[in-house]
Amino acid sequence: MTVEVVDADGNPIADEPVTATVNGETTEYLTGEDGTVNVTTESTIAKAVEYEITVRDDTRGLPVNQSVQTERFVIGAQEEPEPEPETYDFTVYTQEDIPVTVRNDDTREEWTKNATNGSVTFELAPGMYTIHADEHASVLMPTDVPGYTEIELQGEYDEFTVNVVDAETGDPIEGAEISGVCDWYFSSGDAYITGESNADGVIETSVISPSVCYDVLVEADEYESTTISVINIPDDDGMTIELDAASDESGDEEEQTNALVA
């Protein structure tokens, strides 16, 4: 029996493995330059037997006799391997050189690399990712790659103090309250600054650091409230805020009324 192996265009395929099994005995062959190979079994060639011929994933049971016989196998074009998905550089900046873990939210795959000199770069396929690093505020909001190519991780919450005093006397103001939102990622409202001053006029609070807080309101009873446009965390730690005493309009009205009565 002759086995012929050609491609989809009828061109012979040389050095193609061909496996022949008859009566439980298996023999391996390779096609020649013309894409053919002769399959013979001396002990059974005189009889009508059945060969099991395999070329790649195609296995055929073929009755064989004394007459000339050719079996053709047509092999389609080999499938090209799927290209690797396109990847993008994604850089994570850290406050310290520590391990950084990036997780694909869809596949749940994770990659961990050590930051060097305050940064580490990953090659990531398009998708949504969360980022985590010890002693840093983790980014739980999914990050779109390649929508974003870098991110800076902030440290965890740091102690932050503000001194609130009377603008005229310099005396500490007890019970003054501070409130505002801070940016620490690519959108606002992810961090807050809040707190109330003690008897020494000191507000002791904790804020994600570093971050920048905008339009921070400071107010206290019997004082005019004030708004601080920008507070930088941690650079402005220990800052002093002065409040002006509220004008006593009700008192002025009462004095005018008494004067009229007199």
Side-chain angles (χ1 to χ4, degrees):
M1 169 189 282
T2 298
V3 175
E4 181 183 19
V5 183
V6 298
D7 63 19
D9 296 324
N11 300 312
I13 299 178
D15 297 323
E16 180 67 32
V18 176
T19 301
T21 302
V22 62
N23 293 340
E25 296 182 6
T26 299
T27 305
E28 303 257 345
Y29 301 87
L30 286 178
T31 57
E33 292 297 325
D34 61 353
T36 67
V37 62
N38 291 321
V39 176
T40 60
T41 303
E42 294 180 358
S43 61
T44 59
I45 196 64
K47 304 177 183 178
V49 296
E50 182 174 272
Y51 280 105
E52 187 177 84
I53 306 295
T54 301
V55 178
R56 299 197 185 181
D57 295 329
D58 188 357
T59 299
R60 306 176 189 176
L62 304 171
V64 180
N65 51 43
Q66 295 281 5
S67 63
V68 177
Q69 183 176 351
T70 299
E71 185 72 18
R72 169 178 276 202
F73 287 77
V74 179
I75 306 298
Q78 294 190 32
E79 295 183 4
E80 299 203 0
E82 293 185 8
E84 292 292 328
E86 187 174 6
T87 59
Y88 298 84
D89 286 346
F90 181 79
T91 301
V92 180
Y93 295 97
T94 60
Q95 307 303 313
E96 302 175 27
D97 289 345
I98 56 176
V100 177
T101 298
V102 173
R103 184 183 69 183
N104 185 302
D105 286 357
D106 295 323
T107 65
R108 300 300 178 181
E109 291 180 279
E110 292 186 355
W111 302 270
T112 300
K113 298 174 69 174
N114 289 321
T116 303
N117 297 325
S119 70
V120 59
T121 299
F122 296 82
E123 290 186 6
L124 302 178
M128 304 298 290
Y129 295 85
T130 53
I131 300 96
H132 172 76
D134 290 340
E135 301 179 6
H136 287 65
S138 298
V139 180
L140 300 180
M141 181 185 299
T143 305
D144 173 38
V145 175
Y148 289 88
T149 59
E150 62 182 36
I151 187 173
E152 179 178 355
L153 294 184
Q154 276 67 26
E156 295 183 311
Y157 284 82
D158 281 346
E159 296 298 321
F160 188 79
T161 60
V162 177
N163 301 293
V164 185
V165 299
D166 186 297
E168 183 176 351
T169 66
D171 293 336
I173 300 175
E174 183 177 4
E177 296 182 350
I178 190 171
S179 60
V181 294
C182 311
D183 290 345
W184 70 280
Y185 191 20
F186 51 77
S187 62
S188 63
D190 297 306
Y192 299 87
I193 180 170
T194 59
E196 183 175 337
S197 62
N198 56 25
D200 296 322
V202 178
I203 298 175
E204 296 178 334
T205 185
S206 60
V207 187
I208 286 181
S209 177
S211 61
V212 180
C213 306
Y214 298 96
D215 299 327
V216 178
L217 177 65
V218 181
E219 53 188 350
D221 292 341
E222 301 180 0
Y223 285 88
E224 299 286 349
S225 62
T226 187
T227 299
I228 310 300
S229 58
V230 176
I231 295 179
N232 292 290
I233 313 294
D235 295 347
D236 293 334
D237 184 35
M239 68 184 297
T240 298
I241 297 175
E242 298 179 345
L243 296 183
D244 293 317
S247 59
D248 190 358
E249 295 180 357
S250 60
D252 292 341
E253 291 177 357
E254 184 178 349
E255 288 181 5
Q256 292 177 2
T257 300
N258 291 337
L260 291 173
V261 171

